[in-house]
Amino acid sequence: AKTRDVLNTPIEDFFITKTELTEDSLEELEETLITADMGVNTVMDLMEPVAEKVNKKQITNSKELRAALTDAMLDLIKPVHENKELPNKKPLVIMVVGVNGVGKTTTIGKLAANFKKQGKKVMLVAADTFRAAAVEQLEIWAERAGVQIVRHRDNSDPAAVAYDGVAAAEARGMDVVIIDTAGRLHTQVNLMEELKKIRRSCHKSLPGSPHETWLVIDANTGQNAVSQAKLFHEAIGVTGMILTKVDGTAKGGIVVSICHDMDVPIRYIGLGEKAEDLREFEAREFIKALF
Amino acid sequence: MFESLSDRLGSVFKKLKGQGKLSEKNIQDGLKEVRLALLEADVHYKVVKTLIAAIKERAVGQEVLESLTPGQQVVKIVNEELTNLMGGANEEINLGGGHPASIMLVGLQGSGKTTTAGKLAVYLRGQGRKPYLVPADVYRPAAIEQLTKIGKELSIPVYPSDTDSKPEKIAELARIKCAQEGCDTMILDTAGRLHIDDELMAELGRIKATTPPSDILLVADAMTGQDAVNMAKAFNDAMDVGGVILTKMDGDARGGAALSIRSITGKPIKFIGTGEKSNAFEAFHPNRMASRILGMGDVMTLIEKA
Ligand SMILES: Nc1nc2c(ncn2[C@@H]2O[C@H](COP(=O)(O)OP(=O)(O)OP(=O)(O)O)[C@@H](O)[C@H]2O)c(=O)[nH]1
Ligand SMILES: Nc1nc2c(ncn2[C@@H]2O[C@H](COP(=O)(O)OP(=O)(O)OP(=O)(O)O)[C@@H](O)[C@H]2O)c(=O)[nH]1
Ligand SMILES: [Mg+2]
Ligand SMILES: [Mg+2]
């Protein structure tokens, strides 16, 4: 039993009760978008043409307003969202990165279960050798999903684990390899260098890998997520994003801002702590929940 | 990434120099910039509104000081308002009440509770206490192992919890064990949970009832956005927390959530986490936090010198 909205006025009400547009309705809308963490600049960029249409009476009621805004946001998210077919590689090597505690390891557990369900042979690689019991956590997920795992001792070199993991996956005929990495803040230069090293050692083990690098973003994150996306992308080239903890009250609007600035598709959203709580990202549905 | 507020205000107020008084009209553009800076720092929309009104009220009618540019003067007012709102410095942990004393850590998933439990233990040991770590997260895979490893590394005893027990039962039994081990302060690590998960929130209530804590600390991520108010309000309503620990302050987040949380709960921020290691733990300083939110540590020293 989850009771939504502790403090927010549901925007649905706003659209139902206020059909006539006033100055206030635009401000209220702006407030809703900002409180969804979309960021002031993105909100202003989106609202400006819409507000102009309101002024020119091209938009006169809230239904039209909603449609116009939805379209504007779809334009931002959709183009980057298209072309989401995964490269056809065997094994397909996916590296998962992100700041501390966003949900990388859990998401890998969910992905493993998901790929397994599609009949794929999956291997997990425990390249977070730093955080206490990170390996044990991933082992439990591997066991739950019924997939294999490659691990080394605690505090061993993550690049070496990645090398062995990819090599083992190739030798054992795996379809998908997912590499878990330690959480790190994007501003920690040494740790970002370590990610580059992990990439290089994947490439040494299997040229061209990792084929995909997925950045996990916590829906609770505010404007800092823009900096996260930028710096991870600059360091190692991000090919997809996963938005977690969408089952809470935070809207995750920050991903709209990220799409505003860079060209990376959002692949999945996380909706809970269980293996099945993973969905493919649906732009329209996501936008609908935003305002 | 963001331009500092003082830079922005500098250009906004260039024309204002030597105009005598700050008036509602001549600070309007400046206040717009302040609003933008606060929103970009993730301060909640409604909190920003209230703050801007308070800043305006204080600023209007003030003489433009000889020693400061109007921009600096507004920054000074903003900074003071933020610092005041954030409350006093160095609020200590409450260790009164029962024997042993116990501190309960609560918060959303991944906010840093387990890591902070280790940090707190080290901090309290430094104060001459004998801490006892209690893993009461029976849900997250390997959560008990995580805290057990942390305790081992730090040579701090850890209660041998198992995932088949109920958290409130663990807390109750650990209390007895804590005294037997010659320890005087329990640190209770609870599972991450959503504030809208009624079932798990009720579980926190049961733990609190069986083991009345000396202090309940809400562990919150400094990168949290606008939803910080909903989260903090719900945890505080349910648990009546004694204070807040703000983690992951070692990054480049402005940390406006600190202001939102403080203003919605009225509870002090007691400590900040500044890294993953057990010594990356510091007392909270409202003035530093205010400067950080505004992105202007440098300017304040200028103003202080003026
Ligand atoms: N409610 C909810 N919780 C989630 C979701 N995804 C992950 N979590 C929880 O978030 C917490 C952190 O998840 P992890 O998978 O350990 O995060 P991580 O990014 O691997 O963390 P580090 O390796 O320490 O950086 C755990 O308690 C997870 O159960 C989600 O979609 N919804
Ligand atoms: N950079 C940095 N990382 C931190 C800090 N505090 C905690 N972390 C990291 O954040 C991640 C999550 O920390 P945990 O202590 O597992 O968080 P938790 O709240 O116990 O998570 P759950 O039990 O899953 O809800 C880990 O990778 C920690 O190392 C901090 O102050 N700075
Ligand atoms: Mg992890
Ligand atoms: Mg924990």
Side-chain angles (χ1 to χ4, degrees), chain A:
Chain A
K2 288 177 183 174
T3 24
R4 263 198 168 254
D5 280 310
V6 182
L7 197 127
N8 289 333
T9 18
I11 195 64
E12 291 289 347
D13 290 355
F14 158 65
F15 279 108
I16 293 161
T17 54
K18 293 193 187 136
T19 35
E20 292 269 311
L21 287 179
T22 63
E23 274 286 306
D24 284 352
S25 26
L26 282 179
E27 201 190 310
E28 260 178 77
L29 188 54
E30 183 192 288
E31 173 179 347
T32 311
L33 296 178
I34 289 176
T35 50
D37 289 317
M38 274 180 47
V40 186
N41 288 330
T42 308
V43 171
M44 291 204 295
D45 283 358
L46 281 168
M47 290 285 287
E48 213 172 287
V50 175
E52 205 178 296
K53 280 188 186 155
V54 172
N55 282 338
K56 288 186 181 155
K57 305 276 182 227
Q58 288 163 336
I59 292 177
T60 55
N61 64 51
S62 51
K63 210 176 152 200
E64 289 165 5
L65 179 60
R66 188 182 182 107
L69 257 180
T70 305
D71 286 348
M73 280 193 224
L74 274 176
D75 279 347
L76 271 184
I77 293 181
K78 251 302 171 42
V80 299
H81 179 55
E82 277 159 13
N83 189 19
K84 60 174 184 175
E85 283 294 291
L86 289 173
N88 192 11
K89 306 277 180 190
K90 187 180 160 109
L92 174 70
V93 181
I94 304 167
M95 179 167 157
V96 178
V97 302
V99 299
N100 308 82
V102 287
K104 295 174 290 300
T105 308
T106 307
T107 301
I108 290 169
K110 296 175 185 177
L111 285 168
N114 207 35
F115 283 124
K116 175 95 196 270
K117 228 168 80 190
Q118 295 166 23
K120 300 217 160 87
K121 287 172 82 178
V122 183
M123 170 156 319
L124 303 186
V125 181
D128 177 358
T129 56
F130 176 74
R131 216 214 54 220
V135 175
E136 285 80 355
Q137 185 187 0
L138 191 69
E139 269 180 332
I140 293 175
W141 278 110
E143 199 176 301
R144 280 182 187 173
V147 303
Q148 296 188 38
I149 181 169
V150 168
R151 61 163 297 181
H152 286 190
R153 278 166 189 278
D154 288 355
N155 300 315
S156 55
D157 177 11
V161 192
Y163 185 94
D164 286 356
V166 173
E170 214 187 351
R172 295 183 214 167
M174 294 287 147
D175 298 304
V176 187
V177 188
I178 314 176
I179 302 171
D180 189 18
T181 63
R184 68 201 73 221
L185 296 181
H186 47 294
T187 48
Q188 291 161 336
V189 178
N190 292 346
L191 294 181
M192 295 305 278
E193 284 301 316
E194 183 189 90
L195 282 184
K196 292 183 194 168
K197 199 176 152 207
I198 296 175
R199 279 189 69 86
R200 284 196 299 271
S201 88
C202 288
H203 182 75
K204 256 186 233 154
S205 192
L206 174 67
S209 77
H211 311 100
E212 291 282 322
T213 303
W214 291 349
L215 174 69
V216 180
I217 302 263
D218 182 331
N220 291 292
T221 318
Q223 303 311 300
N224 193 249
V226 176
S227 176
Q228 291 170 22
K230 210 174 255 170
L231 294 186
F232 272 102
H233 194 48
E234 271 169 30
I236 50 165
V238 172
T239 60
M241 285 189 286
I242 299 173
L243 185 69
T244 57
K245 310 185 194 174
V246 183
D247 47 327
T249 52
K251 297 289 199 318
I254 193 62
V255 294
V256 181
S257 282
I258 296 174
C259 291
H260 185 260
D261 293 349
M262 56 190 259
D263 195 13
V264 174
I266 308 162
R267 290 201 169 266
Y268 298 95
I269 59 169
L271 285 164
E273 302 186 75
K274 301 213 182 70
E276 64 270 21
D277 296 330
L278 188 75
R279 301 275 180 286
E280 291 207 354
F281 176 76
E282 293 295 341
R284 197 171 276 278
E285 209 176 298
F286 177 74
I287 290 167
K288 200 173 154 203
L290 272 183
F291 73 102

Side-chain angles (χ1 to χ4, degrees), chain B residues 12 30 39 63-64 121 192 201 208 253:
Chain B
V12 169
L39 286 173
E63 299 282 341
V64 176
M201 291 303 279
K208 183 179 173 178

